[in-house]
Amino acid sequence: MCYYYKTLKGLTYVSPFFIAFTELFKNTIDMSDASNTTATTEVGKLKLAIQKSGRLHDDSMKLLKECGIDISNGVNKLKAEASNFPLEVYFLRDDDIPQYVEDGVADIGFVGENVVLEKKKKVDLVEKLGFSKCRLSIAVSKGVNYENASFLEGKKIATSYPVIVQDFLDREGIKADIHEISGSVEIAPGIGLAEAICDLVSSGSTLFMNGLKEVETILQSQAILIKNKHLNIEQQQVLDKMLFRIQSVKKAKNNKYVLLNAPNENLEKIISILPGMKSPTVLPLAEKGWSSVHSVLKESEFWDIIEQLKALGAQGILVVPIEKMII
Ligand code: AMP
C-alpha cells in the first residue's frame, strides 16, 4: 500500500511516516479484512485518530476524559489504549487524519472541519464537537479600499487552504491567482507576495498586528468527529455509545442548573418562562408564600431569562454547572 503526497512543485513522494504507521497497524487491518467476522475484540474496537500536538490535542483529550474514557498510557507514543472503553487512540498530524479515516487505518477522527473540507476525502461527518472554533477569512492590508469580493479579480491570494479558497472564488465567479504557502500567511501582503490572504482567524489579533483587516469570512469551522464510510456493525455500535457520551457532555456544557426562591403569587408566570427538562421542580419553602424552583436553562438564553425572573420577584438565584446531561 503506497500513499503519495503532492509537493508545492507538483512532484509526488511517498511519506515514510505513513508507511511506518501503516506497517505498524497492518495486523489489525489485515485481520478485519481477511476474517470478515464479527466476534473478535479487534473488530469491535474503534480506532480513533487525534492530533498528536497542536491546538486540537488538549481539547480532544479533555473530551475523551469528560466522556469517562481513560487513556492512561502512551500519550507520547503513536498509539494508546483506553483502559475502560473499546477504543485505541492514534496520535497523528491533523492534516493527515482525513486520509487515514478514508482509508480505514483509523475508523474515526477528531479534526478541524477546515482540514476535512480542504482535503476533500470521502469520510462522513458525525458530530460537531464544539471546540477549536475559528473562521477562515480573507484579509487585505488596512489601507485598501475593499468593497466586495470583486476586489479579488486578477489578484494574488496567499493561503494554506487553496481548495476552499478556489471553491469560494468559483461561487463568486472570480478569477484570482492562488499562491499556496504552508505558514506565516499573514506576512504575505507586507513582503509583496500577495494582495490578499486567506487564513484561520479566532480573535483577529494576528491580522491586526500585521496591519491587515478581515473582509470576508468564507468558512466557520470547529473540531468535528468524522468516520470511515464502511464501519462494521460492532464498530458502529461502539461509535453510537461514544456519540451518546459526547452529546451528553455537549448538552451539559450548553446548559446550567438554576435554583431560585419564587413568591407564590408569581409562581405560574415564573414556571412559564423556565422550560426545564420536563417541567421545573417546585418545592414549598419553610417561609409561607414562597417556593423553591429548580430548572435547567440554555446558556444562550440564560441572561435574558434571569432578567425576567428578577423582574417577577425571584430571589436567591443560584446557577450551577452541569457535568453530564442524559435526556
Ligand atoms: P494547529 O495546531 O495550529 O495546526 O491547528 C489545528 C487546527 O486547530 C486547525 O486546523 C483549526 O481547525 C484549528 N485552529 C487553527 N487556528 C485556530 C485558532 N486561531 N483558533 C481556534 N482554532 C484554530
Side-chain angles (χ1 to χ4, degrees):
M1 199 159 39
C2 278
Y3 291 88
Y4 297 92
Y5 288 92
K6 279 205 184 311
T7 64
L8 277 178
K9 289 178 182 159
L11 299 171
T12 56
Y13 73 96
V14 184
S15 161
F17 178 74
F18 205 115
I19 290 176
F21 185 77
T22 309
E23 286 299 312
L24 187 62
F25 297 107
K26 208 168 154 197
N27 291 339
T28 317
I29 301 157
D30 287 346
M31 254 182 60
S32 52
D33 281 344
S35 65
N36 206 18
T37 59
T38 53
T40 67
T41 35
E42 286 301 325
V43 173
K45 204 172 250 191
L46 264 195
K47 291 168 284 176
L48 164 69
I50 68 169
Q51 191 190 35
K52 187 171 173 54
S53 61
R55 288 175 201 267
L56 292 170
H57 176 84
D58 288 352
D59 283 334
S60 300
M61 293 301 286
K62 187 165 155 240
L63 179 60
L64 291 175
K65 195 166 176 217
E66 288 168 335
C67 289
I69 299 173
D70 184 20
I71 311 292
S72 43
N73 68 321
V75 170
N76 294 322
K77 296 183 191 157
L78 204 55
K79 178 182 148 184
E81 256 180 66
S83 57
N84 57 356
F85 198 81
L87 190 77
E88 283 176 358
V89 182
Y90 299 169
F91 301 99
L92 303 167
R93 282 193 58 226
D94 65 327
D95 281 359
D96 296 333
I97 290 176
Q99 173 83 65
Y100 284 121
V101 173
E102 181 183 293
D103 292 339
V105 174
D107 304 310
I108 58 173
F110 292 169
V111 65
E113 197 172 357
N114 51 303
V115 172
V116 177
L117 291 174
E118 179 64 26
K119 300 290 173 186
K120 288 210 161 147
K121 298 295 169 196
K122 293 188 191 75
V123 294
D124 287 340
L125 163 64
V126 180
E127 181 79 7
K128 299 200 175 202
L129 298 175
F131 59 86
S132 280
K133 287 188 176 166
C134 55
R135 52 196 188 273
L136 188 63
S137 292
I138 307 256
V140 296
S141 294
K142 257 180 216 153
V144 166
N145 180 23
Y146 183 101
E147 277 175 7
N148 52 46
S150 64
F151 168 86
L152 300 167
E153 185 71 41
K155 302 277 193 322
K156 239 186 198 178
I157 307 171
T159 185
S160 310
Y161 293 91
V163 173
I164 300 177
V165 174
Q166 189 59 59
D167 284 350
F168 166 75
L169 294 174
D170 292 346
R171 280 199 308 275
E172 297 286 326
I174 288 165
K175 289 206 183 334
D177 179 12
I178 297 174
H179 193 95
E180 184 179 350
I181 49 178
S182 57
S184 302
V185 174
E186 62 282 353
I187 64 168
I191 59 174
L193 185 67
E195 288 99 342
I197 65 156
C198 183
D199 204 7
L200 290 173
V201 183
S202 51
S203 69
S205 59
T206 307
L207 294 183
F208 183 79
M209 283 186 308
N210 284 280
L212 301 174
K213 63 178 178 185
E214 196 176 348
V215 289
E216 301 275 353
T217 297
I218 67 174
L219 173 74
Q220 295 283 355
S221 178
Q222 60 177 285
I224 57 172
L225 168 59
I226 54 169
K227 71 165 188 166
N228 174 272
K229 285 186 172 289
H230 309 289
L231 297 189
N232 64 35
I233 293 169
E234 283 75 13
Q235 288 168 327
Q236 185 60 51
Q237 284 169 347
V238 178
L239 175 57
D240 289 345
K241 270 193 195 171
M242 192 170 158
L243 189 57
F244 175 74
R245 295 188 187 192
I246 290 173
Q247 287 170 343
S248 302
V249 170
K250 273 177 62 185
K251 269 184 212 128
K253 279 187 188 155
N254 293 334
N255 288 276
K256 298 274 181 257
Y257 193 71
V258 182
L259 304 94
L260 58 90
N261 296 329
N264 284 349
E265 69 263 24
N266 282 343
L267 201 52
E268 269 186 32
K269 282 188 193 148
I270 286 178
I271 289 172
S272 72
I273 56 171
L274 278 175
M277 285 169 75
K278 235 188 204 355
S279 69
T281 304
V282 181
L283 300 164
L285 284 189
E287 188 177 330
K288 258 191 145 191
W290 285 82
S291 298
S292 170
V293 181
H294 302 196
S295 191
V296 172
L297 277 188
K298 278 205 182 98
E299 175 97 69
S300 55
E301 298 167 355
F302 176 78
W303 287 112
D304 275 352
I305 292 187
I306 292 291
E307 291 300 323
Q308 294 175 46
L309 293 172
K310 277 172 64 188
L312 287 166
Q315 294 180 2
I317 304 173
L318 298 181
V319 181
V320 185
I322 301 170
E323 192 174 311
K324 307 275 186 307
M325 204 164 146
I326 319 291
I327 299 181

